[in-house]
Structure formats: C-alpha cells, structure tokens
Amino acid sequence: MAWRKQMRARVLEEAWQLASEAGWDRVRVADLAQRAEVSRPSIYAEFGDRAGIGTALVHRETERFLLGVAEVLADHRDDVAAALEAGVHHALAEAARNPFIRAVVAATRGGTDALLPFLTSRPEPVFSRAWDLVAAWLGEVVPGAPRGRREETADIVVRLAVSHMLLPAVDPGEASVRVARAACAVLGTVGKGK
C-alpha cells in the first residue's frame, strides 16, 4: 500500500511538471512512466487512463489551491469585505504564480489544452469545492444572513474569480476589490461581517 501511494504521488508530480512545462496536450503516459520510474501498466492500473491522471491531478491541485484560500479567509474573519478581497487576491496571485495553473490558463486562451474540460465542463472538483468553501465560510462569519444570499454570494465570488483568472480585465488588486464589492452588495453587508 505504501508503494502504491508513493507511486501515485510520483506520477502526479511528474504529470504536474510536464503539464507546467509543455501543457497537458504533451503529457504522455509513456513519459510519465519513464520519469516516475514505474511501468505503464502500473499507471493504468492506478489511474485507469490518461484522463484519470488528469482528474487526479486536478483534484490534487484544487486541494492545495483551496487550502491557501481557506487560510486567507480564516485570517480575516472579522471583516467580510476585507476577507473576500484578500481571498480573491490570493487566488488570482496563486493562479499567476503557479506554473501548472498558468499553463492551463494560457492553453485556454489558445484553445488547445485538453485539461480544460476538467476545470470548466465538469463542476467537480474546482467549482463545487470552491463554492462549498466560500459558502461554508460565509455561514460561519455571517450566520444571520439569509442562506440564499450566502449561496448566491458564494456563486458570485467563485465565478468572478475564475473569470478574472481566465480573462483578466484589470489589475488583480482591482479585480479583488470589484469581486468583494459585488459579493457584499448581494450579501447585504459592507465591511465588518459579524
């Protein structure tokens, strides 16, 4: 079991490296097997196929990404607007910094990356997990706000943040201010969240 877990981690790390360097279109199972020093049959047994590797990689990166966002939101619990602004700013900065996310986003602009469906047409894990995170956080910091408003706010935050990642229209700092302002308007709160 330990070998399998290590093999899985090595394959995903090599897939991350290859996708970061050349885009998901250039990731081949044979290359992953060679770089991770495992057999192709072992990779197929673990992941099913190349799409299974892509799904596992997106799940792993989503976990890492949302952990960072959750930490930022937790650090600003006393001010909803400031927390949302900081959370969106962190998300946009991480998207610009992380070579894997940059590769996926750059490929979406060129329309060639086969990893895009994992991020857009299949809501799990990216959209739903991000929505769950923001909605749960809002439930904790503004429990008196109507549930429907909190859910609508979570939807707006996630969709606008992803939109700014894929097609930035303004400076990331300004984008985070705009998203926070729109979210607070829907939520019916300004500034202090409790």
Side-chain angles (χ1 to χ4, degrees), residues 7-29 31-33 35-36 43 47 49-50 52-58 60-61 99-101 103-104 113 115:
M7 180 271 294
R8 181 179 181 86
R10 282 197 319 268
V11 170
L12 290 177
E13 189 56 33
E14 293 302 334
W16 186 91
Q17 290 289 340
L18 285 170
S20 297
E21 294 164 6
W24 182 252
D25 288 338
R26 302 237 192 268
V27 175
R28 303 282 177 254
V29 175
D31 297 334
L32 290 176
R35 288 176 64 140
I43 292 175
F47 297 99
D49 56 13
R50 186 171 168 274
I53 298 166
T55 299
L57 185 58
V58 168
R60 184 188 86 164
E61 291 306 303
F100 175 75
I101 297 172
V104 171
D113 200 295
L115 198 56

Side-chain angles (χ1 to χ4, degrees), residues 34-106:
Q34 182 178 15
R35 288 176 64 140
E37 299 177 347
V38 297
S39 69
R40 287 192 317 193
S42 294
I43 292 175
Y44 286 119
E46 179 66 23
F47 297 99
D49 56 13
R50 186 171 168 274
I53 298 166
T55 299
L57 185 58
V58 168
H59 278 272
R60 184 188 86 164
E61 291 306 303
T62 299
E63 287 293 321
R64 291 178 175 180
F65 185 83
L66 292 179
L67 181 61
V69 173
E71 289 173 0
V72 171
L73 291 174
D75 287 344
H76 298 83
R77 294 181 62 82
D78 60 332
D79 186 330
V80 172
L84 292 174
E85 184 179 331
V88 171
H89 189 271
H90 172 82
L92 296 178
E94 181 63 14
R97 184 201 66 76
N98 183 305
F100 175 75
I101 297 172
R102 275 198 328 261
V104 171
V105 169

Side-chain angles (χ1 to χ4, degrees), residues 109-183:
R109 293 182 187 137
T112 62
D113 200 295
L115 198 56
L116 182 61
F118 296 106
L119 303 173
T120 57
S121 64
R122 300 172 193 154
E124 296 292 344
V126 180
F127 290 108
S128 296
R129 294 291 315 282
W131 186 92
D132 288 344
L133 169 70
V134 176
W137 181 82
L138 288 168
E140 292 174 12
V141 298
V142 286
R147 181 177 178 178
R149 287 287 179 108
R150 293 192 315 257
E151 291 176 350
E152 187 178 347
T153 301
D155 189 65
I156 286 170
V157 169
V158 172
R159 289 181 188 278
L160 288 177
V162 170
S163 176
H164 280 287
M165 284 178 203
L166 295 176
L167 192 60
V170 295
D171 158 282
E174 179 62 24
S176 60
V177 170
R178 289 180 181 185
V179 173
R181 187 182 314 131

